[in-house]
């Protein structure tokens, strides 16, 4: 019986193999299927994330040009040689996802696992790679793409099959989305939204799943990480930021084309099973209280959408914290 290593999930689950495995002993079909399942979840995250950062771009304080392309670096897997064999690649860089509706997806050029050999004038495969499961080279590649888009208003990407594509960006809120190969948590660090592949909301309908993405993005858009760094991560401070992120959720969903009530559906669906009841973290309100805070925002959102066609949260959203608290006042 052929051995199954599940190379895709080794990205964050297992230690590097001591020696390269004999590929004849590996079930490459199973490996390919495992990678595909991971990429399916990543595609869903990128699709929803793109809709929200694109739909809210005019209200974000930090905006960047983006094409909606997510790369993969096989050197960051726990077993790169197995992943290459399973996907039929000779190098390490390929398309992971192109977010639905993004310039990358609309070009029709960025099909899943299409091998990449050039990002403008540079071949990222030639950059030194660290230890297995090292994410830094992939981050460098995404940073390079962002720099080219900002400096040149577009990027030309070359493929191993001889083709190339020139892609022009559109403005989006500044945030990246990363799928973890394990875990049931969703977190935001100010620059990224990171969700574990076992997070329950991946099984929800898209508009309900979008609720968790919007909640984490709200933390980034409102700069909660920076605010907590300045004002200490006391329980009451964290609770204030969580409440504010809940309240901004329906605003972000409305601008992305989802029903703002989907934020309520997310909290009800997730909260009834996973809130923790008496044992929940005191940094969060109870799920039923959170529903009430979310619902209180919807009449104003509906009014703004009917009158202006958008929910301008930068102007109309009532902050629950003082965003300038803890900032040093400029010397006169």
């Amino acid at each position: 019986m052929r051995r199954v290593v599940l190379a895709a999930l080794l990205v964050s689950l297992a230690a590097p193999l001591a020696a390269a495995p004999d590929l004849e002993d590996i079930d490459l079909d199973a490996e390919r299927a495992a990678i595909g399942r991971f990429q399916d979840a990543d595609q869903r995250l990128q699709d929803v994330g793109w809709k929200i950062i694109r739909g809210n771009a005019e209200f974000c304080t930090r905006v960047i040009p983006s094409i909606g392309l997510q790369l993969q670096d096989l050197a960051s897997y726990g077993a790169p040689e197995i992943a290459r064999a399973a996907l039929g690649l000779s190098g390490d860089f390929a398309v992971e996802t192109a977010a639905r509706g993004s310039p990358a997806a609309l070009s029709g050029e960025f099909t899943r696992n299409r091998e990449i050999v050039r990002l403008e004038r540079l071949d990222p495969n030639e950059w030194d790679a660290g230890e297995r499961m090292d994410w830094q080279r992939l981050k460098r590649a995404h940073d390079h793409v962002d720099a080219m888009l900002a400096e040149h208003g577009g990027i030309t990407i070359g493929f191993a099959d001889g083709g190339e594509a020139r892609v022009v960006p559109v403005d989006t809120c500044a945030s990246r989305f990363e799928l973890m190969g394990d875990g049931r948590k969703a977190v935001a660090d100010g620059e990224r939204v990171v969700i574990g592949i076992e997070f329950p909301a991946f099984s929800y309908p898209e508009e309900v799943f979008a609720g968790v993405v919007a909640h984490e993005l709200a933390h980034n858009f409102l700069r909660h990480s920076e605010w907590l760094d300045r004002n200490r991560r006391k329980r009451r401070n964290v609770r204030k930021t969580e409440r504010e992120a809940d309240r901004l959720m329906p605003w972000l969903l409305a601008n992305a084309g989802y029903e703002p009530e989907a934020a309520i559906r997310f909290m009800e669906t997730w909260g009834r099973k996973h809130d923790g009841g008496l044992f929940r973290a005191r940094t969060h309100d109870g799920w039923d209280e959170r529903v009430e805070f979310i619902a209180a925002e919807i009449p104003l959102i509906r009014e703004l959408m009917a009158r202006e066609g958008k929910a301008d949260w930068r102007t109309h959203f009532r902050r629950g914290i003082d965003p300038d608290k803890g900032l040093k006042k400029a010397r006169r």
Side-chain angles (χ1 to χ4, degrees), residues 34-195:
I35 293 172
R37 287 192 296 273
F38 183 90
Q39 291 177 324
D40 286 345
D42 201 1
Q43 184 73 54
R44 192 171 209 223
L45 173 59
Q46 303 300 328
D47 288 349
V48 169
W50 175 266
K51 284 190 70 172
I52 299 174
I53 62 175
R54 177 65 178 144
N56 287 276
E58 67 179 291
F59 310 121
C60 287
T61 56
R62 291 185 284 194
V63 175
I64 62 170
S66 178
I67 59 173
L69 177 64
Q70 180 86 347
L71 304 173
Q72 59 177 315
D73 178 6
L74 272 58
S76 67
Y77 286 12
E81 56 284 330
I82 295 176
R84 290 189 204 100
L87 298 179
L89 303 180
S90 58
D92 288 331
F93 277 87
V95 175
E96 170 78 355
T97 66
R100 185 178 65 231
S102 69
L106 294 175
S107 75
E109 298 289 343
F110 295 90
T111 54
R112 184 182 294 187
N113 299 320
R114 190 177 186 186
E115 190 169 351
I116 289 173
V117 295
R118 184 163 49 86
L119 300 174
E120 204 61 42
R121 294 189 178 92
L122 299 178
D123 181 356
N125 296 281
E126 296 178 353
W127 299 341
D128 290 337
E131 298 294 328
R132 297 182 184 191
M133 297 184 290
D134 180 15
W135 51 267
Q136 294 186 21
R137 189 170 72 159
L138 181 57
K139 180 181 182 301
R140 179 183 176 187
H142 282 132
D143 288 345
H144 174 67
V145 171
D146 286 350
M148 293 299 97
L149 296 177
E151 293 171 16
H152 304 297
I155 186 170
T156 300
I157 296 178
F159 302 100
D161 58 19
E164 70 174 27
R166 175 74 178 174
V167 195
V168 177
V170 294
D171 286 342
T172 67
C173 301
S175 189
R176 290 178 181 173
F177 305 93
E178 295 182 14
L179 179 69
M180 292 187 295
D182 65 343
R184 299 173 61 86
K185 293 184 178 181
V187 297
D189 67 2
E191 297 181 354
R192 304 173 299 160
V193 169
V194 184
I195 302 181

